[in-house]
Amino acid sequence: MKQTRLLIFVLTALTFFAGCDRFDKMKHDPQADKDIEAAYKARDYQKIIDLADSFQQSGAMADVKAYYWQGYARDRMQRHLSAEYFWGRAIKAAEESKDPEEIEFFTRSAARLANMLTTRGDYEGTVKKTLPVVKRLEELGCDSTSDYVNLLIYIGCCQLGLGMSGDTIDNSFYAAYKRHDDEIENKHNDQSYKNAFAGLINIVYAFNETRHFDEALRWNERYGKIITEYEQRNDVDGNYVDKQWARYDIYQAIALAGLKRQEEAEKAFSDYLSTAFSKTPEGRIEANKYLEPEGRWTEAAENYESLDKIVEHSNSKFSLESMQKAALKKYRANLMAGRRDTAMAVSMQISNMLDSAIARSRRLDAQEQVDIQDKELQFAQQQAAANRRHIMGILGIAALIAFLLMLVILFLYKKLHGAKRSRKNLETAYNQLESDATARERKESEDRIARDIQLAMSPRELSPHKHLTIAATPLSEQNTDSGLYELAMTGPDQLLFCIADASSNSDVHASLATALVKAQFRSLLCVENDPQRIISAINEAMAPNKFAPVTLFVGLLDLATGKLRFSNAGHLSPLIAGSEISLLPECDDVAIGMESGHSYSVKEVDLEPNTIILLYSNALGEARSTGRKKFGEGQMLGEALQLKKTGGTPEIFVTRLTDSVHRFTGKEIDPTMIAIQYK
């Protein structure tokens, strides 16, 4: 029995060491670092990829370092998808490590990944992937490096981009600034200042982009303070200092203009124009960040003439991303400046480049998908090879003991079978990943189109009326609700209004259907103000075309008497908040486009002074909590009751309901709502 146990122990130990085929290999080879450094200085990115892969296979370089360099090289080659993949691999490879060198590349990979995702606008993904890294570094006490500080800044910028604010973001930025300040104090070298400049630029830019202009000025003041200290050093690069002051001036001008401090903003912009950097092609494009919001389109259009020089200098072609960020802005600036011939020429240039840009984008995406899939298959093959070596080591020993040999063969057969099954599952998963990515891109495109339709059909502004107060959910680029509304004065004291919503599997179809109904409503305003006839006319226009069904509520409010006439084509009944709180009577009529020739009914109610009418889209009425509980009528009536007790305004009512649905659902959804108070 003892001999059997001893044999099992020996066999198990040998099996373990047979499987650990890299056990005796080096974890670090100084020559590998020198070769990578030489390729890095030569900007030979393909060589970096080949070297990193080779060193990883031979064991001369740790996995996390090899993955970092492969991600870096692919990023420089504009292969961002595979760069994201390898940096993610690097983070995974060292997430449990305590080795100082591996932690260094773990941090560098996270910082690179955060920078790429932030630039792409994937704020949620950045926060999700980098917060665990920050927590891990703090646990290890590795929270003093510039990459760790950059992670704090990226997280804060992304939280701002997601609409967050408050002490959490301020603390994150201040902690980063304090570490930069300490590094300057301790090292006082050129790199410490440049690290601080990069961090502060990101912070000020983020505050300006999210329209937190007071905070932008406060952080820009810190930026200027460090520039002032830096230019006192000996042998500083004058062009570099000039560029820093230029950035300071343009950020100052943007923030001051946002705060309506126009005279100070113009002074800051004049200071910017006095810098040498402002005369460069890059500097002229940077100036447009101030000129465009100020409506100075002619100057902006002239600056955009530098785009072609930038593209020529960088020896690159317009991609879909650069067309969106640059070429389309150039077209818009020329169009707004009244330079229609130039705008037409730019539009023709965009049209000519679009097909090649799309084809290039698809080709790069396909190449990266193949690159990633090949790498995953390589990992699977390496694992299979390791398993085979494991088998051979065991078989050489197990030949002496028949009983143990049978057990080992059975064990290894199961492992090999599992590896094949894992490989098959991996291939299936990658096919599904490609399909999901296509579906996700299509959904994002539909959301953008739906938002553009909504923004294009924004309601007209009404002149102030002494008997009327109106508040509504503001339209924004983040809102994907298909609900649309419109208001119009058809007489001195006649307010005609409507709200429409559509139900469809496609956000684009739903937004298009509601936009068409709203266009019909606008057309009828010139000749008709009776709700019943308006709904009937719109139904007759929409029904033959088989659009998505649209619910529509149309009301006519006499501001002199408080009489409300309304017709309702299947829309959720508006809420009335006066001395009593209730829903308007239902009309039981079908939605627009469902039935040609349908006879719609009309009803009347008398409103008391100071009554609020709340109209809302299906997104409010159908909102659900994480437990699938419906927001519904009870929640709205409860908020209306609280409003009645406190005597709030329509704006407060809309804000309270928006906050309530956010708390109820746990999501930042913004249903379309409009509150009308008859005074």
Side-chain angles (χ1 to χ4, degrees), residues 608-637:
E608 300 173 345
N610 295 319
T611 296
I612 294 178
I613 310 167
L614 176 72
L615 300 96
Y616 49 92
S617 65
N618 293 336
L620 179 65
E622 299 297 326
R624 294 181 181 274
S625 67
T626 54
R628 304 302 296 165
K629 183 180 178 182
K630 198 172 182 180
F631 186 79
E633 178 182 333
Q635 295 284 340
M636 288 188 292
L637 293 176

Short mmCIF file of all heavy atoms in Angstrom, two decimals, residues 608-637:
data_model
loop_
_atom_site.label_atom_id
_atom_site.label_comp_id
_atom_site.label_asym_id
_atom_site.label_seq_id
_atom_site.Cartn_x
_atom_site.Cartn_y
_atom_site.Cartn_z
N GLU A 608 -59.30 74.58 -13.82
CA GLU A 608 -59.20 75.65 -12.84
C GLU A 608 -57.88 76.41 -13.03
O GLU A 608 -56.91 75.85 -13.55
CB GLU A 608 -59.22 75.06 -11.42
CG GLU A 608 -60.47 74.28 -11.10
CD GLU A 608 -60.35 73.58 -9.75
OE1 GLU A 608 -59.21 73.49 -9.27
OE2 GLU A 608 -61.38 73.15 -9.22
N PRO A 609 -57.82 77.66 -12.62
CA PRO A 609 -56.54 78.39 -12.71
C PRO A 609 -55.44 77.66 -11.94
O PRO A 609 -55.70 77.02 -10.92
CB PRO A 609 -56.87 79.75 -12.07
CG PRO A 609 -58.34 79.91 -12.27
CD PRO A 609 -58.93 78.54 -12.17
N ASN A 610 -54.22 77.76 -12.46
CA ASN A 610 -53.00 77.15 -11.89
C ASN A 610 -52.97 75.64 -12.03
O ASN A 610 -52.16 74.97 -11.41
CB ASN A 610 -52.82 77.54 -10.42
CG ASN A 610 -52.58 79.02 -10.24
OD1 ASN A 610 -51.83 79.61 -11.03
ND2 ASN A 610 -53.22 79.63 -9.27
N THR A 611 -53.86 75.08 -12.86
CA THR A 611 -53.83 73.64 -13.14
C THR A 611 -52.66 73.33 -14.08
O THR A 611 -52.40 74.06 -15.03
CB THR A 611 -55.15 73.19 -13.78
OG1 THR A 611 -56.20 73.39 -12.83
CG2 THR A 611 -55.09 71.71 -14.15
N ILE A 612 -51.98 72.21 -13.80
CA ILE A 612 -50.89 71.75 -14.67
C ILE A 612 -51.35 70.51 -15.45
O ILE A 612 -51.89 69.58 -14.87
CB ILE A 612 -49.63 71.41 -13.86
CG1 ILE A 612 -49.06 72.67 -13.22
CG2 ILE A 612 -48.57 70.74 -14.73
CD1 ILE A 612 -47.85 72.42 -12.36
N ILE A 613 -51.14 70.55 -16.77
CA ILE A 613 -51.40 69.38 -17.63
C ILE A 613 -50.04 68.75 -17.94
O ILE A 613 -49.15 69.42 -18.46
CB ILE A 613 -52.08 69.79 -18.95
CG1 ILE A 613 -53.29 70.69 -18.68
CG2 ILE A 613 -52.48 68.56 -19.75
CD1 ILE A 613 -53.82 71.37 -19.93
N LEU A 614 -49.88 67.47 -17.61
CA LEU A 614 -48.62 66.77 -17.91
C LEU A 614 -48.85 65.77 -19.03
O LEU A 614 -49.66 64.85 -18.89
CB LEU A 614 -48.10 66.03 -16.67
CG LEU A 614 -46.84 65.20 -16.93
CD1 LEU A 614 -45.63 66.10 -17.13
CD2 LEU A 614 -46.59 64.21 -15.80
N LEU A 615 -48.15 65.96 -20.16
CA LEU A 615 -48.16 65.00 -21.26
C LEU A 615 -46.82 64.27 -21.26
O LEU A 615 -45.77 64.87 -21.01
CB LEU A 615 -48.36 65.71 -22.61
CG LEU A 615 -49.67 66.50 -22.76
CD1 LEU A 615 -49.41 67.97 -22.43
CD2 LEU A 615 -50.24 66.37 -24.15
N TYR A 616 -46.83 62.99 -21.58
CA TYR A 616 -45.61 62.20 -21.46
C TYR A 616 -45.62 61.05 -22.47
O TYR A 616 -46.67 60.63 -22.96
CB TYR A 616 -45.47 61.63 -20.05
CG TYR A 616 -46.72 60.95 -19.53
CD1 TYR A 616 -46.92 59.58 -19.71
CD2 TYR A 616 -47.73 61.68 -18.91
CE1 TYR A 616 -48.07 58.95 -19.26
CE2 TYR A 616 -48.89 61.07 -18.45
CZ TYR A 616 -49.06 59.70 -18.63
OH TYR A 616 -50.19 59.06 -18.20
N SER A 617 -44.43 60.56 -22.79
CA SER A 617 -44.28 59.48 -23.76
C SER A 617 -44.40 58.12 -23.08
O SER A 617 -44.44 58.01 -21.85
CB SER A 617 -42.93 59.59 -24.46
OG SER A 617 -41.89 59.37 -23.54
N ASN A 618 -44.43 57.07 -23.92
CA ASN A 618 -44.53 55.71 -23.40
C ASN A 618 -43.34 55.34 -22.52
O ASN A 618 -43.44 54.47 -21.65
CB ASN A 618 -44.63 54.71 -24.55
CG ASN A 618 -45.93 54.85 -25.32
OD1 ASN A 618 -46.92 55.34 -24.78
ND2 ASN A 618 -45.95 54.46 -26.58
N ALA A 619 -42.19 56.01 -22.75
CA ALA A 619 -40.99 55.68 -21.97
C ALA A 619 -41.20 55.94 -20.48
O ALA A 619 -40.60 55.28 -19.64
CB ALA A 619 -39.79 56.50 -22.47
N LEU A 620 -42.07 56.91 -20.13
CA LEU A 620 -42.39 57.16 -18.72
C LEU A 620 -43.43 56.16 -18.22
O LEU A 620 -43.28 55.55 -17.17
CB LEU A 620 -42.88 58.59 -18.53
CG LEU A 620 -43.26 58.97 -17.10
CD1 LEU A 620 -42.04 58.94 -16.19
CD2 LEU A 620 -43.91 60.34 -17.06
N GLY A 621 -44.50 56.01 -19.01
CA GLY A 621 -45.57 55.11 -18.58
C GLY A 621 -45.16 53.66 -18.49
O GLY A 621 -45.71 52.89 -17.70
N GLU A 622 -44.16 53.25 -19.32
CA GLU A 622 -43.75 51.84 -19.36
C GLU A 622 -42.43 51.59 -18.64
O GLU A 622 -41.91 50.47 -18.69
CB GLU A 622 -43.61 51.39 -20.82
CG GLU A 622 -44.89 51.49 -21.64
CD GLU A 622 -45.99 50.58 -21.10
OE1 GLU A 622 -45.67 49.50 -20.59
OE2 GLU A 622 -47.18 50.96 -21.17
N ALA A 623 -41.84 52.60 -18.01
CA ALA A 623 -40.56 52.41 -17.31
C ALA A 623 -40.71 51.36 -16.20
O ALA A 623 -41.72 51.31 -15.50
CB ALA A 623 -40.09 53.74 -16.72
N ARG A 624 -39.67 50.52 -16.06
CA ARG A 624 -39.73 49.45 -15.06
C ARG A 624 -38.46 49.43 -14.22
O ARG A 624 -37.38 49.81 -14.67
CB ARG A 624 -39.90 48.07 -15.75
CG ARG A 624 -41.24 47.93 -16.47
CD ARG A 624 -41.40 46.56 -17.12
NE ARG A 624 -42.66 46.45 -17.83
CZ ARG A 624 -43.81 46.08 -17.28
NH1 ARG A 624 -43.83 45.78 -15.98
NH2 ARG A 624 -44.91 46.01 -17.98
N SER A 625 -38.64 48.97 -13.00
CA SER A 625 -37.50 48.83 -12.09
C SER A 625 -36.74 47.55 -12.41
O SER A 625 -37.15 46.77 -13.27
CB SER A 625 -38.01 48.79 -10.64
OG SER A 625 -38.75 47.59 -10.42
N THR A 626 -35.63 47.34 -11.71
CA THR A 626 -34.85 46.11 -11.93
C THR A 626 -35.66 44.87 -11.58
O THR A 626 -35.39 43.78 -12.07
CB THR A 626 -33.56 46.15 -11.08
OG1 THR A 626 -33.92 46.39 -9.70
CG2 THR A 626 -32.64 47.26 -11.56
N GLY A 627 -36.66 45.03 -10.73
CA GLY A 627 -37.54 43.90 -10.39
C GLY A 627 -38.74 43.80 -11.30
O GLY A 627 -39.71 43.10 -10.97
N ARG A 628 -38.69 44.55 -12.44
CA ARG A 628 -39.74 44.52 -13.46
C ARG A 628 -41.04 45.15 -12.97
O ARG A 628 -42.10 44.94 -13.54
CB ARG A 628 -40.02 43.09 -13.95
CG ARG A 628 -38.82 42.34 -14.49
CD ARG A 628 -38.20 43.10 -15.64
NE ARG A 628 -39.11 43.20 -16.77
CZ ARG A 628 -38.95 44.04 -17.78
NH1 ARG A 628 -37.94 44.88 -17.78
NH2 ARG A 628 -39.82 44.08 -18.78
N LYS A 629 -40.99 45.93 -11.90
CA LYS A 629 -42.18 46.64 -11.43
C LYS A 629 -42.36 47.88 -12.29
O LYS A 629 -41.43 48.60 -12.59
CB LYS A 629 -42.01 47.03 -9.96
CG LYS A 629 -43.24 47.69 -9.38
CD LYS A 629 -43.01 48.04 -7.91
CE LYS A 629 -44.22 48.76 -7.32
NZ LYS A 629 -44.00 49.14 -5.90
N LYS A 630 -43.62 48.16 -12.67
CA LYS A 630 -43.93 49.24 -13.58
C LYS A 630 -43.99 50.58 -12.84
O LYS A 630 -44.54 50.66 -11.76
CB LYS A 630 -45.27 48.96 -14.29
CG LYS A 630 -45.50 49.76 -15.55
CD LYS A 630 -46.76 49.25 -16.25
CE LYS A 630 -46.99 50.01 -17.54
NZ LYS A 630 -48.20 49.51 -18.24
N PHE A 631 -43.40 51.64 -13.45
CA PHE A 631 -43.44 52.97 -12.86
C PHE A 631 -44.90 53.43 -12.74
O PHE A 631 -45.39 53.70 -11.67
CB PHE A 631 -42.64 53.95 -13.73
CG PHE A 631 -42.49 55.32 -13.14
CD1 PHE A 631 -41.57 55.57 -12.15
CD2 PHE A 631 -43.29 56.37 -13.58
CE1 PHE A 631 -41.44 56.84 -11.60
CE2 PHE A 631 -43.16 57.63 -13.05
CZ PHE A 631 -42.24 57.86 -12.05
N GLY A 632 -45.58 53.55 -13.86
CA GLY A 632 -47.02 53.66 -13.92
C GLY A 632 -47.65 54.88 -13.29
O GLY A 632 -47.02 55.84 -12.87
N GLU A 633 -49.00 54.79 -13.24
CA GLU A 633 -49.84 55.90 -12.81
C GLU A 633 -49.61 56.26 -11.34
O GLU A 633 -49.62 57.43 -10.98
CB GLU A 633 -51.31 55.50 -13.05
CG GLU A 633 -52.33 56.52 -12.61
CD GLU A 633 -53.74 56.01 -12.85
OE1 GLU A 633 -53.94 55.18 -13.75
OE2 GLU A 633 -54.62 56.45 -12.10
N GLY A 634 -49.44 55.26 -10.49
CA GLY A 634 -49.30 55.52 -9.05
C GLY A 634 -48.12 56.42 -8.74
O GLY A 634 -48.23 57.35 -7.93
N GLN A 635 -46.98 56.17 -9.39
CA GLN A 635 -45.79 56.99 -9.14
C GLN A 635 -46.01 58.42 -9.59
O GLN A 635 -45.64 59.38 -8.90
CB GLN A 635 -44.59 56.39 -9.88
CG GLN A 635 -44.16 55.01 -9.40
CD GLN A 635 -43.41 55.09 -8.09
OE1 GLN A 635 -42.89 56.14 -7.73
NE2 GLN A 635 -43.38 54.00 -7.34
N MET A 636 -46.66 58.60 -10.76
CA MET A 636 -46.90 59.95 -11.27
C MET A 636 -47.85 60.72 -10.35
O MET A 636 -47.64 61.90 -10.05
CB MET A 636 -47.47 59.88 -12.69
CG MET A 636 -46.47 59.44 -13.74
SD MET A 636 -47.13 59.60 -15.41
CE MET A 636 -48.39 58.33 -15.39
N LEU A 637 -48.93 60.06 -9.92
CA LEU A 637 -49.89 60.72 -9.03
C LEU A 637 -49.22 61.11 -7.71
O LEU A 637 -49.51 62.16 -7.13
CB LEU A 637 -51.09 59.81 -8.78
CG LEU A 637 -51.99 59.54 -10.01
CD1 LEU A 637 -53.09 58.55 -9.65
CD2 LEU A 637 -52.59 60.81 -10.54
#
